[in-house]
Amino acid sequence: MACNTIKALSYDLCQNNLGGIKNIWLANYKENAATVESEANEVSGFADGVTWYKYPIRKGTASMTSTYNTSTDGASYVSTELSLVFTRMETQKRVAMTSFALAEAMAVVEDSNGKYWFLGKDAPITLTAGGGETGTAKGDRNAYTATFTDESLTFPYEVTASAAEKLPKDDAASSVPSL
């Protein structure tokens, strides 16, 4: 007995498509923080009282990867890893890394196509890997790296344009150092 059916998918094969991430917004996890419209299957709003912090990302230093996982006993979930590089080790970023390690969070990710994705719908995202390195040669990376993991029932939900408009646009307004 099938639990669901395959649905049709149509899209423009000639449409431009870019990889990479432009911006990340993080907030402390709040249960039921995102409103998902059932017909559109998108996040259409966020609960009152959620404070988002914007983390601008340098080009080519962040990625989001989702993997569908299933077991023989019927359990399934999607694991999404959000990998970030915070260039130049310094005190503010060290303090941020420490807070990430202790936090239960949720995130909105703006990709290079101008699409926004929500992580933390079913459970908080957590820091599952991180580190700092000075590099060896002058041209090597000096940075902190952080990997957040989201384990959810489905792939990340797209955030509607109207909900994304409410995220802080000004880096200074979010009180987070430029990373």
Side-chain angles (χ1 to χ4, degrees), residues 125-144:
I125 65 173
T126 56
L127 185 72
T128 52
E133 62 179 302
T134 61
T136 305
K138 297 269 189 233
D140 290 348
R141 176 187 301 169
N142 177 302
Y144 289 106

Side-chain angles (χ1 to χ4, degrees), residues 34 54 73 99 105 107-108 113 121 124 126 128 132 155-156 163 166-167:
K54 182 180 179 185
D73 65 358
S99 72
V108 173
N113 294 306
K121 172 71 175 94
T126 56
T128 52
F155 287 91
K166 295 180 177 149
L167 294 167

Side-chain angles (χ1 to χ4, degrees), residues 32-38 41-47 118 121 157-158 160 163:
N32 300 317
T35 303
V36 175
E37 294 294 329
S38 58
N41 210 10
E42 296 175 319
V43 171
S44 61
F46 300 106
F118 182 72
K121 172 71 175 94
Y157 286 96
E158 187 173 348
T160 63

Side-chain angles (χ1 to χ4, degrees), residues 8 18 25 27 40-41 48 50 57 62-63 66 74 93 97 115 121 141 143 146 153 161 171 174 178:
L18 300 172
W25 289 265
N41 210 10
D48 291 336
V50 174
I57 301 299
S63 67
S66 297
K93 293 172 190 160
M97 288 293 291
K115 299 285 187 181
K121 172 71 175 94
R141 176 187 301 169
L153 298 172
D171 301 341
S174 68
S178 178

Side-chain angles (χ1 to χ4, degrees), residues 56-140:
I57 301 299
R58 285 182 184 260
K59 184 178 170 182
T61 63
S63 67
M64 185 176 77
T65 304
S66 297
T67 305
Y68 182 80
N69 302 281
T70 187
S71 65
T72 55
D73 65 358
S76 62
Y77 66 97
V78 175
S79 177
T80 299
E81 288 191 347
L82 176 60
S83 299
L84 312 171
V85 174
F86 303 133
T87 57
R88 188 178 176 129
M89 292 171 43
E90 56 192 358
T91 299
Q92 285 182 316
K93 293 172 190 160
R94 181 187 56 78
V95 170
M97 288 293 291
T98 302
S99 72
F100 295 159
L102 301 173
E104 290 187 330
M106 53 191 181
V108 173
V109 176
E110 180 187 10
D111 70 19
S112 293
N113 294 306
K115 299 285 187 181
Y116 295 79
W117 303 97
F118 182 72
L119 302 176
K121 172 71 175 94
D122 300 318
I125 65 173
T126 56
L127 185 72
T128 52
E133 62 179 302
T134 61
T136 305
K138 297 269 189 233
D140 290 348

